Amino acid sequence: MFSSIYFGKISKEKTERLLELYGKEGSFLTRDSESEPGAFCLCVRRTPFVHTYKISLHHGGWAVKTPPGVKPQCFETLNDLIDRYRAAAHDSMPPLLHPLEKRLVSDDGENSELMYLEI
């Protein structure tokens, strides 16, 4: 699951544009964190915003960043983390309903328009 929704090194602005153009309420994707090398961002569309949650290694497991004093729930793999939050989102996280798969979106360059590919 993780690899199909992983868009790599794209900006916050491009992420928001992708989810606005091709997503719907509950659509989500992952990308590299712009502020923390080795971390990822889980981005979820909940109109009128795109909510972003940082995912990083925490004591040997992958976890969504939590507020100070709150123990994060760790997962062995990124797939396990995504599957868990798809099954039952955290109280503050919008439901992960519709994965935005990278293979369905074509980007031919930074200045070109994005295109949705029907399969």
Side-chain angles (χ1 to χ4, degrees):
M1 163 61 66
F2 184 83
S3 62
S4 69
I5 60 167
Y6 173 62
F7 281 73
K9 187 176 182 175
I10 62 172
S11 68
K12 174 184 174 185
E13 293 77 18
K14 188 168 184 176
T15 300
E16 291 171 352
R17 193 169 73 233
L18 284 170
L19 287 168
E20 179 184 340
L21 290 172
Y22 306 117
K24 51 190 168 188
E25 191 76 9
S27 291
F28 64 98
L29 61 83
T30 57
R31 63 176 173 83
D32 291 338
S33 170
E34 294 177 286
S35 62
E36 186 179 325
F40 302 97
C41 291
L42 171 61
C43 305
V44 188
R45 180 177 173 180
R46 184 176 202 173
T47 307
F49 303 107
V50 171
H51 298 263
T52 301
Y53 303 90
K54 191 173 288 184
I55 301 171
S56 57
L57 277 175
H58 184 80
H59 300 296
W62 292 100
V64 173
K65 185 174 181 177
T66 58
V70 176
K71 184 179 177 184
Q73 184 175 4
C74 294
F75 298 90
E76 189 173 318
T77 68
L78 291 164
N79 283 328
D80 291 344
L81 184 145
I82 297 295
D83 289 344
R84 166 60 177 82
Y85 284 104
R86 283 195 77 190
H90 187 271
D91 294 338
S92 64
M93 183 184 292
L96 306 181
L97 302 175
H98 310 287
L100 185 63
E101 295 188 34
K102 187 173 182 178
R103 67 183 176 87
L104 300 179
V105 178
S106 173
D107 183 6
D108 296 327
E110 200 59 38
N111 297 322
S112 67
E113 288 297 314
L114 297 165
M115 182 184 339
Y116 186 76
L117 303 174
E118 290 289 339
I119 295 179

